[in-house]
């Protein structure tokens, strides 16, 4: 099972771009990288998923280098409402193996006015 | 579209008492998950269902925890008897399932916060 490592916490001012990096040195060939966001008293919410290079949606971008041993979630121009915990997961969503990976402790992002 | 529904939202019980949590997944979602989340930690998978079959329950403490999804739709997670260390948030999630392909993203309910006194 691929283990992930991400910073415990980060602070950012409103309007800045935030980059959260996740390390996953033993990622397998079929593994995807998926990020979830969790607000207090709510369940996690899917943000973005990618396999390689760059993926962008209306919420965030995900950058994955060629060796895929790490990935970076990029949140453009954060606002106070982006204050949350962000989890990086690695696994194969099509085989069920993804489901066995724990969410870990995540990165607690605090956006400052 | 209704999301994942869980009840109750909060439950306070004394140790050694039984407790049950209910989850109704998003309509059409074949895969259902139960997670446990301790304060300051990420969710930990307890059990995963594909339709009515439990395909991954390796993390479920079977001496006191049980789960069922009889008709492949809603599900119940039970603890009997509850211990002090069971105090946590119990999250239910659902997804279209691995056969649907794509992201297979999980949609989470709001959770049930259990306090064992």
């Amino acid at each position: 099972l691929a283990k992930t490592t991400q910073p415990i916490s980060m602070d950012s001012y409103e309007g800045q771009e935030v980059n959260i990096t996740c390390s996953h040195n033993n990622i397998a060939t079929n593994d995807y990288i998926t990020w979830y966001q969790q607000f207090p008293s709510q369940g996690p919410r899917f943000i973005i998923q990618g396999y390689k290079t760059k993926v962008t949606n209306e919420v965030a971008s995900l950058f994955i280098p060629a060796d895929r041993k790490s990935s970076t979630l990029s949140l453009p121009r954060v606002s106070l409402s982006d204050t949350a915990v962000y989890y990086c997961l690695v696994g194969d969503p099509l085989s069920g193996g993804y489901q066995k990976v724990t969410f870990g402790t995540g990165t607690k992002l605090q956006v400052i006015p | 579209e209704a999301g994942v529904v869980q009840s109750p939202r909060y439950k306070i019980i004394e140790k050694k008492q039984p407790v049950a949590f209910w989850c109704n997944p998003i309509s059409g979602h074949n895969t259902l998950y139960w997670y446990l989340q301790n304060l300051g930690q990420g969710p930990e998978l307890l059990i995963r269902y594909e339709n009515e079959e439990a395909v991954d329950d390796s993390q479920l403490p079977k001496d006191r925890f049980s789960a069922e999804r009889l008709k492949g739709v809603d599900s119940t997670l039970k603890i009997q008897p509850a211990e002090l260390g069971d105090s946590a948030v119990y999250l239910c999630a659902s997804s279209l399932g691995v056969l649907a392909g794509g992201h297979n993203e999980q949609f989470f309910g709001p959770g049930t916060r259990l306090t064992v006194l």
Side-chain angles (χ1 to χ4, degrees), chain A residues 27-69:
Chain A
I27 187 170
T29 302
N30 294 332
D31 287 346
Y32 283 68
I33 299 121
T34 309
W35 286 80
Y36 280 78
Q37 173 192 57
Q38 186 175 27
F39 298 113
S41 300
Q42 295 185 25
R45 183 184 69 155
F46 173 92
I47 301 176
I48 197 166
Q49 184 183 86
Y51 183 81
K52 62 181 179 181
T53 62
K54 176 184 175 182
V55 179
T56 297
N57 61 23
E58 64 277 6
V59 177
S61 294
L62 179 59
F63 299 92
I64 306 168
D67 66 4
R68 304 200 326 122
K69 294 184 182 298

Side-chain angles (χ1 to χ4, degrees), chain B:
Chain B
E1 177 184 340
V4 175
V5 178
Q6 290 188 249
S7 68
R9 289 295 312 276
Y10 305 92
K11 188 72 175 180
I12 300 174
I13 61 172
E14 293 186 347
K15 62 180 180 180
K16 300 184 181 180
Q17 294 300 307
V19 64
F21 315 121
W22 177 80
C23 172
N24 193 328
I26 292 174
S27 178
H29 281 194
N30 298 322
T31 307
L32 184 147
Y33 318 77
W34 282 102
Y35 288 88
L36 175 155
Q37 185 170 27
N38 288 304
L39 186 64
Q41 303 294 318
E44 301 174 28
L45 180 68
L46 290 172
I47 189 169
R48 173 171 67 96
Y49 283 93
E50 295 290 343
N51 298 304
E52 66 275 7
E53 181 182 0
V55 296
D56 183 359
D57 62 355
S58 58
Q59 307 284 5
L60 189 72
K62 298 181 182 64
D63 57 337
R64 298 184 300 106
F65 286 66
S66 64
E68 60 183 15
R69 194 186 185 198
L70 294 177
K71 297 183 179 179
V73 180
D74 56 352
S75 176
T76 302
L77 177 69
K78 298 178 181 178
I79 308 175
Q80 182 172 9
E83 298 178 352
L84 295 176
D86 296 331
S87 295
V89 175
Y90 291 83
L91 294 162
C92 178
S94 69
S95 69
L96 283 171
V98 295
L99 295 181
H103 297 140
N104 196 25
E105 67 179 275
Q106 298 180 40
F107 295 82
F108 284 80
T112 297
R113 182 176 297 276
L114 174 67
T115 301
V116 182
L117 303 176

